Amino acid sequence: MLLKIVYLLMRSVLGLAVLVLRGDRAKDAELLVLRHENAVLRRHASRVRYEPADRAWPAALARLMPRSRWAGVFLVTPATLLAWQRKLAAKKYDTSKRRKPGRPPTFPSIGRLVVRLAKENPLWGYRRIHGELTRLGVTVAPSTVWEILRAAGIDPAPRRSDPTWRQFLHAQAAGILAVDFLHVDTVLLRRLYVLVFIEHGTRRMHLGGVTTNPTGQWTVQQARNLALSLDDRFEDIKFLIRDRGSNFTASFDAVFQATGATILRTASRRRA
């Protein structure tokens, strides 16, 4: 592209030298012919697309031409010339094709080695694995080892030998009962709270009750009502999953613990 621009500039310079040797009458005649040809082309041509080499000549002669005569000579406006200049400057500082910010990705061989060490040594944590990698001459941060293990679905060392949460739910599905509150807003924007029990094995849902003020005493009464409706099946409940809301009191847990059920509380949520 640079050679093309230089070629066009040299050709134009030689053309100017030829014009200097011509007479004024020949120059005026040639200018009239070119202006007439320019007007004809404007009427019949559609949008003209300039290549980078084509933009160099109008930009170089723009300062030699009075603004009042630009409309009859140039096919572009001064705003277009300024836009060309902004694009040229923006292209110089464009960093989209450069390397993305941040640390470079870890080599796949290191990732496979980390996963292999974790599987062959269930009692090793990510820091122990990082120490073994350092002994082998592999330079990697401890946080990178933790991220590799997390991406591979490998739990921390104390939990690695135990069944996962998914495996636990699948194995104990018949004896798991979950409870939670839902809320519904009426037309008058009055919020109603709905207590719902769901059997994990059969996906059967039990409606505990609907209230505008779900107190702990009210929640305990709904648990007792569920025990009466399930009758003998209530003793099959081995695990109750609930959140850490203040509505679920110790009396509420006692209704299920009376039959030997274990209360499983969900993890607390951190607010940003």
Side-chain angles (χ1 to χ4, degrees), residues 62-84:
R63 300 184 62 180
L64 302 178
M65 184 69 62
R67 293 290 183 92
S68 60
R69 301 186 59 186
W70 273 28
V73 178
F74 291 123
L75 294 176
V76 295
T77 62
T80 304
L81 292 177
L82 293 177
W84 289 350

Side-chain angles (χ1 to χ4, degrees), residues 137-232:
V138 179
T139 304
V140 64
S143 59
T144 303
V145 177
W146 182 84
E147 291 176 357
I148 294 174
L149 295 178
R150 181 184 179 187
I154 300 177
D155 294 329
R159 307 178 188 173
R160 202 172 300 158
S161 58
D162 297 334
T164 62
W165 181 250
R166 183 184 296 273
Q167 293 173 346
F168 167 77
L169 293 178
H170 182 73
Q172 304 292 337
I176 295 178
L177 182 72
V179 60
D180 201 357
F181 274 99
L182 307 178
H183 63 81
V184 180
D185 294 332
T186 63
V187 179
L188 300 178
L189 301 181
R190 185 181 183 185
R191 176 154 294 186
L192 302 178
Y193 294 89
V194 183
L195 183 63
V196 178
F197 299 90
I198 182 171
E199 299 180 34
H200 188 77
T202 60
R203 301 296 182 181
R204 182 179 298 175
M205 185 177 295
H206 303 276
L207 178 62
V210 181
T211 182
T212 57
N213 185 22
T215 61
Q217 184 177 359
W218 179 87
T219 308
V220 172
Q221 184 60 43
Q222 305 311 313
R224 293 171 181 170
N225 295 340
L226 177 67
L228 293 176
S229 61
L230 293 180
D231 200 7
D232 295 338

